[in-house]
Each structure stands twice: as C-alpha cells, then as structure tokens.
Amino acid sequence: MTLAQPEARPYHHGDLSRALVEAARRILETDGPAALSLRAVAREAGVSPAAPYHHFKDKGQLLDAVAHEGWVALDAALMKARQESDDDRRRMTSLGVAYVTFARDNPALYRVMYDCSRDKDALPDQMKEEGAYCQVRNTIAHAAGDGVSEIDLELATIAAWCAGHGLAEMSGFKQFESLKALLGGEEAFLKAVFDHLGMFAKFDRG
Amino acid sequence: MTLAQPEARPYHHGDLSRALVEAARRILETDGPAALSLRAVAREAGVSPAAPYHHFKDKGQLLDAVAHEGWVALDAALMKARQESDDDRRRMTSLGVAYVTFARDNPALYRVMYDCSRDKDALPDQMKEEGAYCQVRNTIAHAAGDGVSEIDLELATIAAWCAGHGLAEMSGFKQFESLKALLGGEEAFLKAVFDHLGMFAKFDRG
DNA sequence: CACGGATCTTGTCGACGTCAAGATATCTTG
DNA sequence: CAAGATATCTTGACGTCGACAAGATCCGTG
C-alpha cells in the first residue's frame, strides 16, 4: 500500500528554496518572529541545519524571500480592496483600512517585511506597477485629478503610507481597546482615525 | 599620584544598574541594536556575563530600562519644542518635526523603545502629565478649543501619533532622498509631509 | 567580630548562525 | 552506459548568545 504516500518526497529534496520559505511562514504564523531561527526552519522543512546555506547566503536572505512573498500578498490585498470598491465614495479610506487589516492579520509577516526594509534602508521594489506604494499613488492621482503636481502627488502618497504604517503598528496597543469598543469595533476605529487625517477625506469622494 | 583616579570604582561595583543602562546606550549608539547583547553590555560595563542578572530579571528588563530612558528623553524633546515655540502658528507641525527628529537622531534607541512596547502590546506610561502622548493631546486640545469632544480629541491624538511614528520609521528610506533634496533638506521634507496630513494644518494656527 | 544577605565570578547548558569537509544524488559528456 | 563533474545535503565543529547554579567576596548589622 505504498500508493499515494503524501508528497512523495523527491530524491534530493525537491526544491528546498520554496519549502524553506513555506516552513518559515508556518513558523511565523504559529510561533511568532522570535521563534524564527534558521535551524527551526530547517527542522520544520525536515533537513539538516546547514542545508539552507545551499539556497540562501545567510539568514537575512531567507527573510528577504519571506518578506518578498509578504509584499506580493499585500499588493494583492490592496488590489482586491480597490477592485471590490463597493465603497466608491471612500476609496482612500478603504485602501487604508485594507492596508492596516493586512498588517493586523499577519503581524509577524508584516514585522519581517519592515525589518528587512530597514536593514536595507529602502522599501523593496514598490515602484513597479501593482506594487503597493504605486497603487496608493495611482489611487490618489485618480482622485486628485489632473491639477496636482508630481511633488504633491509624491508627498501625499508618503503621507498616506506613513499614516497607514503608523496605525498598523500602533492599533494593537491596549491603550486603544476601550476606544475601539466605544466606536463599535476595529474597523470603525480605523476609519475614525483616518477620518481625522484630513487628506484621506480630501481624496475620498463619490 | 593616586589622587583623582578616574571614577574610583566603588567596592562591589557602584550601582551597576545605572552603569549597565549607560553601557547599553553606548553600545546602541556606536554599534547598533544588533550588537546589543547582554554579554556585550556586561563587557562594556566591566563585569562578568552573569552580573546583570542580579539587577535585571532578563535581557528584556534591561531593554525596558533603556527604553524608559528613551521615553523620558523624548518627553523632554517634545517639551522643549513646545516651550521654544518660536513658531506659534505651526505648533502641531513643530511638535511632529521634533518627534521625527528625535527618532532620526536616535534610531537605535527609538527602535528599542517601540520593540519593548510591542512586546507588551502597550505604550509605556504615556498618559501621565508630561508624557509624550499626553503632550500631543494637550497641544491638540489647546489648539482645538472647547468645542471638541473627548472622543475626537483622542482620535486626533492617535492620528497624529501614527503619522509621526510612521514618518519616523520611513523617512530614512532611500526612495525619498531625491525628494528631500528637491525640497531643500530633511526638515522641509518633514514639514511638507505633515502639511499633506490635513489635521496638522487644521490645528496649526497663529 | 561574626554572621547574613547582597553582589559578583566561574562554570555550565542548550540553542543559535555559520562554515568546512565529507557523503550522496543528479547531470553531463564521451 | 560508464565516469567524472556538479549540485545538493549531512556531519561535525567553532564562537556567541541567554540563562542558570554554585561558589567567592564584600557590605552592613547585631
């Protein structure tokens, strides 16, 4: 009865690169960023502690790969939020809520994404089409119309991104729980905060 | 000639708690957060690797102490920015610039401050008078006058804090360097971004 | 002076990131 | 198909880390 042994492990080991990244994400989700050691990833993937070094130069490069998957997922989440757009009048706020929601739903992954960015003093390739940053800029450009300068567009995008990132990191703090309850939940809280950032309201319209 | 031997080290070791925190800050400033191990701190302070455990339960508690000093320093920086206030018409923006400037000038310390907060899912005692959060809220309350509700005041404070924190973490990214140069420097860049967050302009006035 | 408690050192443990050397499987070439 | 080259994985090791236990040292107090 050897038929259909699950995932008949290929000879050498299949493509370990992918397996390692998936193992890393599994560990991130279940045990958090503190438990994400190279050795733990190797264990989770069922290989020896030194095996990853044939696919990634060091731990940082593995994290870079994980972070890259995170950015792709975030791009998709924002794209989805834009396309659904059942809330045309509040496009920018919807985008902001989607951004923060992604960060809240994948806190460990989001942390890895930004830690990798900090190590390189730069966001990853966000500027290409469908990159998250570019999506925000395009949304603002569309809402602002033609009369907006390149500089203003860039500044507005940065401002929006900063607000989103700040809220993503801070909305989990206990201090705000009573206020969230008072406003009727997490999403209402997020929308209320964005409302207080005038630029979001400015770019939201019907 | 034994007079004035520098810092005649007291018997057992003086008050190590303070010495350890200072050593930690020294390491943070010179070698960054990655180099901040308990053993390195002990080395820097001139004691054995296990000595810190008589003053701090674990590494986290030492970092908590370092972070606490950071928050106190941030409180002072904001207070100074408010009192100088040579720019009455743009009080809120000045406060935001002071906040981000502190984070840019002490990047490693700022990182430790927020990492500790995340571990506890809460900001430290910011709510007491002169705490940074409270200073922001008071500034907004003063600018907004009497007609503002408690909830709106809290939301506006959170929104401002998120914008400041986000900009503090992102303004170092390479992507924005050309824009900074184009606007005439770091501070001009920060002010421009804050300008695009309507609420700052709303609360700035003469 | 003696003793108890605080402080610091030494020694040790398991886990980590990383590398070198060896083993094994796949690919390439004749 | 055989045989060397190459890619992949394992084993073993090194230095560092956080943390703890046991022992040494010093202080204050009775």
Side-chain angles (χ1 to χ4, degrees):
Chain A
M1 300 280 278
T2 60
L3 59 139
Q5 40 185 337
E7 290 300 330
R9 174 161 60 172
Y11 28 53
H12 237 131
H13 216 143
D15 66 317
L16 233 195
S17 300
R18 177 145 228 91
L20 288 171
V21 174
E22 286 170 4
R25 289 196 59 173
R26 231 172 298 139
I27 292 177
L28 265 186
E29 285 167 15
T30 61
D31 300 330
L36 190 63
S37 69
L38 247 190
R39 295 176 107 105
V41 173
R43 266 191 307 269
E44 172 77 22
V47 293
S48 81
Y53 285 90
H54 293 266
H55 299 269
F56 300 97
K57 180 179 154 292
D58 55 17
K59 183 183 180 181
Q61 279 212 353
L62 208 192
L63 294 191
D64 284 346
V66 174
H68 180 259
E69 280 204 357
W71 288 108
V72 171
L74 176 57
D75 295 349
L78 294 191
M79 182 65 80
K80 183 164 169 245
R82 279 211 302 171
Q83 285 176 343
E84 286 184 350
S85 109
D86 55 340
D87 192 4
D88 267 5
R89 291 182 326 188
R90 312 188 59 124
R91 215 174 283 125
M92 273 299 291
T93 300
S94 294
L95 211 56
V97 170
Y99 181 97
V100 178
T101 300
F102 175 88
R104 299 298 316 275
D105 288 345
N106 311 275
L109 179 59
Y110 186 77
R111 183 104 68 99
V112 169
M113 288 158 61
Y114 261 89
D115 285 346
C116 287
S117 296
R118 261 193 296 242
D119 288 346
K120 297 198 279 290
D121 285 324
L123 291 168
D125 279 335
Q126 289 296 314
M127 304 314 179
K128 63 185 173 206
E129 212 59 31
E130 303 203 350
Y133 186 92
C134 193
Q135 284 197 63
V136 174
R137 190 176 48 193
N138 288 348
T139 303
I140 293 178
H142 185 263
D146 298 335
V148 64
S149 75
E150 268 300 319
I151 290 187
D152 276 349
L153 180 55
E154 210 64 45
L155 283 172
T157 307
I158 294 172
W161 195 281
C162 288
H165 173 62
L167 193 48
E169 287 217 314
M170 304 202 23
S171 64
F173 287 162
K174 293 199 207 99
Q175 273 96 351
F176 308 139
E177 271 175 17
S178 61
L179 186 54
K180 274 191 269 190
L182 209 138
L183 291 171
E186 176 94 11
E187 186 166 330
F189 168 75
L190 297 181
K191 285 184 178 170
V193 174
F194 281 127
D195 274 352
H196 273 263
L197 292 165
M199 61 159 295
F200 280 84
K202 182 167 72 181
F203 292 134
D204 282 335
R205 60 177 197 187
Chain B
M1 299 283 278
T2 60
L3 58 141
Q5 40 185 335
E7 291 300 331
R9 175 160 62 170
Y11 33 52
H12 239 133
H13 220 142
D15 65 323
L16 234 194
S17 301
R18 179 146 227 92
L20 288 171
V21 174
E22 286 170 5
R25 290 196 59 174
R26 231 172 298 142
I27 293 176
L28 266 186
E29 285 167 16
T30 61
D31 300 329
L36 190 65
S37 68
L38 246 189
R39 296 175 106 105
V41 173
R43 267 193 306 269
E44 172 77 22
V47 294
S48 81
Y53 286 92
H54 292 268
H55 299 268
F56 301 97
K57 180 178 154 291
D58 55 18
K59 184 184 180 181
Q61 279 213 351
L62 209 192
L63 295 191
D64 283 348
V66 174
H68 180 260
E69 279 204 359
W71 287 108
V72 171
L74 176 57
D75 296 348
L78 295 191
M79 182 65 79
K80 182 162 168 248
R82 279 210 302 171
Q83 286 177 342
E84 286 183 349
S85 108
D86 55 340
D87 193 5
D88 269 4
R89 291 181 328 188
R90 312 188 58 128
R91 214 174 284 124
M92 272 300 290
T93 300
S94 295
L95 211 56
V97 171
Y99 182 98
V100 177
T101 300
F102 176 89
R104 299 297 316 277
D105 289 345
N106 311 274
L109 179 58
Y110 187 77
R111 183 104 68 97
V112 169
M113 286 158 61
Y114 261 89
D115 285 346
C116 287
S117 296
R118 261 192 296 242
D119 288 346
K120 297 198 279 289
D121 283 325
L123 292 168
D125 280 336
Q126 289 296 315
M127 304 315 178
K128 65 184 171 207
E129 211 60 30
E130 303 204 351
Y133 185 91
C134 193
Q135 284 196 61
V136 175
R137 189 176 50 193
N138 288 348
T139 302
I140 293 178
H142 184 264
D146 297 337
V148 62
S149 75
E150 268 300 320
I151 289 185
D152 277 348
L153 180 55
E154 211 64 44
L155 284 171
T157 307
I158 293 171
W161 194 281
C162 288
H165 174 62
L167 193 48
E169 288 217 316
M170 304 201 27
S171 65
F173 287 163
K174 292 198 207 98
Q175 272 95 351
F176 308 138
E177 272 174 16
S178 60
L179 187 54
K180 273 190 268 189
L182 210 139
L183 290 171
E186 176 95 10
E187 187 166 330
F189 169 76
L190 297 181
K191 285 183 178 171
V193 174
F194 281 128
D195 274 352
H196 272 262
L197 292 165
M199 61 159 296
F200 280 84
K202 183 167 72 181
F203 292 134
D204 282 334
R205 59 178 197 188

